[in-house]
Amino acid sequence: KRNSSFIWVSQSFDALSFFLNIKKINRIEAFDVSHTSGNQVSASCVVLNREGLDKKNYRLMNIKTEVNNDYLALSEAIKRRLKNLEKSKLNLPEVILLDGGKGQLNVVLKDLDEKLIKKIIFLSISKGPNRKEKYDFLHFNKKSFELKKLKNISKLIQLLRNESHRFAIKQHRKRRNRNFLASNLDDIEGI
């Protein structure tokens, strides 16, 4: 059953397809990372299809490299996700959105297999001046676009960014709280 509150999503998918000059978009995946100074690094992958948010296909990843480097963390998360999709013989998304600027996008593209880069369009979104959402920039194909000028797709892009951000922070807080409550006494048998 189609979620009526997300009818605008299908229209935004069409507008984004036109903007990116591709035939049709059926699925977009968005990624973000969250950590505290490189500790408990968590990454999120949220999925949006033409019917709306596809929460059963959301994924959380604990990043193995515990460093304060969003570029490497995003790259690891995307590589792991795409590898799992291919291994499971599932369709790749037509578009992947990263929460981050041109730097994150360039590192991810440099780190991925050339075949995947040809199959998927990669975008990134960054905050504008004073980190105000209304001045966000969309980065694509070595160009930057003011999101507010892309009226038919700005709501879609911001939904994806905000949802991936929320989901990454939720996982990171869980890990941080679990670690905070841990004690060396937990390792002593009988206590």
Side-chain angles (χ1 to χ4, degrees), residues 92-154:
L92 297 172
E94 291 84 7
V95 176
I96 287 181
L97 175 71
L98 318 176
D99 187 359
K102 288 186 267 188
Q104 283 93 331
L105 183 59
N106 290 336
V107 167
V108 167
L109 290 174
K110 187 175 149 197
D111 212 18
L112 282 176
D113 186 311
E114 193 75 30
K115 289 182 290 185
L116 289 173
I117 294 170
K118 290 180 179 172
K119 292 180 184 178
I120 302 167
I121 291 181
F122 289 84
L123 310 171
S124 69
I125 183 171
S126 63
K127 294 273 191 217
N130 300 322
R131 301 189 54 77
K132 298 220 188 249
E133 193 173 89
K134 67 181 180 176
Y135 301 116
D136 287 352
F137 283 94
L138 182 68
H139 308 284
F140 162 64
N141 207 14
K142 299 187 180 182
K143 295 179 186 156
S144 298
F145 304 87
E146 286 183 67
L147 202 55
K148 67 181 178 184
K149 292 183 178 175
L150 305 173
K151 297 217 183 294
N152 296 328
I153 63 173
S154 62

Side-chain angles (χ1 to χ4, degrees), residues 4-21:
S4 60
S5 65
F6 278 103
I7 290 175
W8 64 269
V9 170
S10 186
Q11 295 167 339
S12 292
F13 269 48
D14 292 338
L16 184 58
S17 298
F18 181 77
F19 173 74
L20 299 174
N21 196 26

